[in-house]
Amino acid sequence: MIERIGNWLREKRYKRHRLQTVRARHGLRLVTLGSDYGGWTFLEDESLQGCTIVSAGLGEDASFDVEFANRYSARVVIIDPTPRAVAHFGAMKKRFGQVGETGYVSGGSQPVEAYDLSTCSEDNLIMVDRALWCRNETLRFFLPKNPEHVSHSIVNFQNDYRQDTDHLMVQADTLQEVLDDHAIPIEEVQLLKLDIEGAEVEVLEQILADGLRPQQICVEYDELNRPGKKAFQRVDAADKALRAAGYVCVYGNGTTDYLYLHEKQG
C-alpha cells in the first residue's frame, strides 16, 4: 500500500524541495496541533488570530479543535453527525470553562478531561450534527465494519462502495449552507479541515464549484487507506480540481494527510 501511495505522490510532484520552496516564498512555518492520533499540520499565519475555521469530522478526538481555538482565540465550527461524536461533544460542553486534568491517550478516543476547555464556550466551539456533503439531502451514513470504530462514511469505501450495508439516515448540507445557517461569511474562514471518510472528494469539488476558497485546506484522503483503481482516480480528481483552482500542496505526511495553500494571484 505505502509503495503505491508513494508512486502516486511522486506523480503529483509533492517532493520535499518543492514544499520547502513554497513555504519559503510565503515566509510561513508548519505547526502541528492536537494529539498524535487527531493532530493536524498547517501553516502559521497572522490571519489565523481571531479567525473562523471549519473542522469536518470529529469522532472522539477534539484535540486539534480545542488547541486551535485556544492558540488563536478562534471560532471552530465542528461538523459531524456520528452519534458517538455528538455524544463526545456533549460531554465536552459540560466541561466548558474548565482546565484539562489528564494527558492525551493513544488511539482516537480521548477523555474529555484531557482538553483545556478553560476559554471554550458555545460561542467559539460550535457543533453541527449534520454530514458535510455536495448537496442538501437525507442520505445513508454507513457504519464501519468494526463496531469498535467510530467513523461512518457516506461513500462507504470501507465496504467496496456498496450501498446495502448497515447504515443510519442523516441530514447532509453543503459548506455554504452550514455557513449561511450560522451567518458566517466565507471570507472569515481561513482554514478548512476535512476528515470525512471519502466524502472529501465530492465536498471539495462542490466547494470549488461554489467559488469558496479557504486559504488553507487540510484533507485526509481516507480512500488511500484502501488503495485501488477507483480510490486513486477519485483522489486524483480532487487533487487536480484543487490545483486548477489555485491551490498548491505544501505538506504531506506520506500516507493520507495533506495540506493545500491557496496562492492568490497578483
Side-chain angles (χ1 to χ4, degrees):
M1 181 183 77
I2 297 299
E3 181 180 356
R4 293 191 66 186
I5 293 173
N7 290 338
W8 181 80
L9 293 173
R10 282 190 288 275
E11 290 174 5
K12 299 296 106 184
R13 296 183 298 169
Y14 295 162
K15 297 179 180 178
R16 185 173 299 276
H17 74 273
R18 175 170 171 77
L19 307 188
Q20 291 174 338
T21 298
V22 172
R23 291 200 295 267
R25 184 165 71 249
H26 289 272
L28 303 174
R29 68 185 184 91
L30 289 173
V31 174
T32 301
L33 295 180
S35 69
D36 289 342
Y37 179 91
W40 284 85
T41 299
F42 57 96
L43 289 166
E44 184 90 274
D45 186 86
E46 62 182 13
S47 66
L48 298 178
Q49 195 64 39
C51 76
T52 297
I53 72 169
V54 174
S55 179
L58 172 67
E60 294 173 317
D61 190 330
S63 56
F64 169 76
D65 310 294
V66 172
E67 290 188 22
F68 195 99
N70 290 339
R71 183 183 180 100
Y72 299 106
S73 299
R75 173 173 54 177
V76 181
V77 180
I78 300 169
I79 306 175
D80 196 330
T82 308
R84 282 166 56 181
V86 175
H88 189 73
F89 188 81
M92 289 170 57
K93 284 175 60 176
K94 295 178 181 179
R95 290 187 54 82
F96 280 172
Q98 299 184 46
V99 299
E101 297 177 355
T102 67
Y104 294 137
V105 300
S106 60
S109 182
Q110 296 299 332
V112 294
E113 293 81 9
Y115 306 132
D116 177 6
L117 299 168
S118 57
T119 63
C120 294
S121 71
E122 294 183 67
D123 293 328
N124 64 348
L125 281 184
I126 300 168
M127 180 71 179
V128 178
D129 59 353
R130 285 170 277 167
L132 191 62
W133 186 230
C134 56
R135 53 187 171 269
N136 179 290
E137 63 178 335
T138 301
L139 46 67
R140 296 172 181 174
F141 202 39
F142 293 96
L143 277 63
K145 279 186 175 181
N146 187 335
E148 294 185 2
H149 294 170
V150 64
S151 299
H152 292 46
S153 174
I154 294 174
V155 301
N156 205 21
F157 72 93
Q158 307 100 318
N159 292 293
D160 299 320
Y161 304 94
R162 290 169 53 189
Q163 296 295 297
D164 60 352
T165 62
D166 292 342
H167 59 272
L168 308 173
M169 298 303 295
V170 299
Q171 177 61 39
D173 285 322
T174 66
L175 176 60
Q176 185 66 72
E177 288 167 329
V178 171
L179 296 177
D180 289 346
D181 285 348
H182 291 84
I184 299 173
I186 183 59
E187 295 79 14
E188 291 184 11
V189 179
Q190 293 296 313
L191 184 146
L192 169 65
K193 185 215 83 181
L194 297 175
D195 182 4
I196 49 179
E197 305 302 312
E200 63 273 359
V201 175
E202 285 83 358
V203 167
L204 283 170
E205 291 175 346
Q206 186 60 49
I207 286 170
L208 298 177
D210 287 341
L212 309 182
R213 299 291 185 272
Q215 182 68 6
Q216 299 188 55
I217 297 179
C218 300
V219 56
E220 180 174 6
Y221 290 124
D222 290 282
E223 287 166 281
L224 294 180
N225 284 314
R226 295 175 61 87
K229 182 177 180 180
K230 184 172 182 177
F232 280 108
Q233 287 177 339
R234 285 171 49 78
V235 171
D236 196 52
D239 172 74
K240 287 179 178 177
L242 283 165
R243 290 187 289 115
Y247 285 91
V248 60
C249 182
V250 294
Y251 171 79
N253 71 349
T255 53
T256 59
D257 295 358
Y258 299 94
L259 168 65
Y260 291 85
L261 176 71
H262 190 245
E263 295 199 294
K264 297 179 180 178
Q265 302 298 315

